[in-house]
Amino acid sequence: MKISIIYDNEAVKEGLREDWGFSCLVEAYNKKILFDSGANGSILLENMKKLNIEPETIDEVFISHDHWDHTGGLSDFLKVNPVKVYIPLSCKRPRSTNAVEVISVKEPLKVHENIFSTGELKNIEQSLVIKTQKGLVVIVGCSHSGVKNILKAASQWGRVYALIGGLHGFKDFDLLIDLELVCATHCTKFKSEIKSRYPEKYIRGGAGKIIEL
């Protein structure tokens, strides 16, 4: 599988625009899923173009939670490609009527074979779980529902191998001991602490970062 970070507070590839927010493209099992949409549609689409990602080839959108820095680019994206959108139950339906279908998620959900939603945790956020030969890859927006709760919810499908995305104010670093890869992005407050504790498993994020697993 392949994860391309499109939108983040920092950029690791020259020419990409940095902005407060998060979005990445998840490619697995012949599916292309846009995870979150950043804060601004023009930045999202501009960064996609510079990364040679064609919006029209994306199969669906998965929104982690209803905060502007994760949903702000959705309307502009759906004007280009009106696909199915998965949102947590607490999330407002997209203002754009372009979506083919909007699915509100409350309970754990099998999205596709080997691709799951944790379901809405703490009435705020869902995370995306991909089952691979190495273990589970968990992709998070901001982890407002708590990393511990997210990892526990994901573990119903196996052993968590990697955690990628925003970890907000997370500092229970021992929870990462059994993981083999951590890519802390966006709102993560303690990136340097995570990196210093786990240098062998830490991967720097940022717009333009490509992670292949």
Side-chain angles (χ1 to χ4, degrees), residues 151-188:
L151 295 178
K152 181 180 179 181
S155 65
Q156 65 187 287
W157 296 295
R159 182 185 70 86
V160 178
Y161 168 81
L163 179 64
I164 299 167
L167 305 181
H168 206 53
F170 167 75
K171 55 182 178 180
D172 190 359
F173 306 122
D174 287 347
L175 288 175
L176 306 178
I177 288 175
D178 294 330
L179 305 187
E180 295 181 46
L181 184 152
V182 178
C183 180
T185 67
H186 178 43
C187 60
T188 307

Side-chain angles (χ1 to χ4, degrees), residues 48-176:
M48 279 187 178
K49 184 177 181 179
K50 291 178 178 177
L51 289 169
N52 296 315
I53 295 171
E54 298 179 5
E56 297 85 359
T57 66
I58 292 173
D59 297 300
E60 56 205 15
V61 177
F62 185 99
I63 296 294
S64 63
H65 63 296
D66 192 18
H67 286 176
W68 63 272
D69 48 337
H70 296 259
T71 63
L74 181 58
S75 179
D76 284 345
F77 174 81
L78 290 176
K79 290 175 184 176
V80 177
N81 186 4
V83 295
K84 182 186 298 184
V85 181
Y86 292 86
I87 60 173
L89 187 63
S90 61
C91 186
K92 295 187 293 289
R93 296 178 71 84
R95 279 175 282 178
S96 169
T97 58
N98 291 330
V100 169
E101 182 181 5
V102 178
I103 298 176
S104 295
V105 180
K106 180 62 178 175
E107 302 299 327
L109 176 70
K110 180 179 178 181
V111 179
H112 300 290
E113 192 67 33
N114 296 314
I115 303 176
F116 308 91
S117 165
T118 58
E120 184 184 55
L121 303 177
K122 298 290 184 179
N123 298 314
I124 186 171
E125 189 168 351
Q126 64 174 339
S127 298
L128 187 65
V129 182
I130 314 293
K131 194 170 188 177
T132 74
Q133 290 183 341
K134 294 180 179 179
L136 303 176
V137 177
V138 180
I139 304 168
V140 295
C142 279
S143 304
H144 291 299
S145 52
V147 171
K148 183 176 182 179
N149 292 324
I150 293 169
L151 295 178
K152 181 180 179 181
S155 65
Q156 65 187 287
W157 296 295
R159 182 185 70 86
V160 178
Y161 168 81
L163 179 64
I164 299 167
L167 305 181
H168 206 53
F170 167 75
K171 55 182 178 180
D172 190 359
F173 306 122
D174 287 347
L175 288 175
L176 306 178

Side-chain angles (χ1 to χ4, degrees), residues 6-8 11 15-19 40 42-43 46-47 50 207:
I6 301 168
Y7 205 114
D8 202 354
L16 295 183
R17 292 178 63 183
E18 304 171 356
D19 191 45
N40 182 289
S42 63
I43 295 176
E46 179 184 326
N47 281 358
K50 291 178 178 177

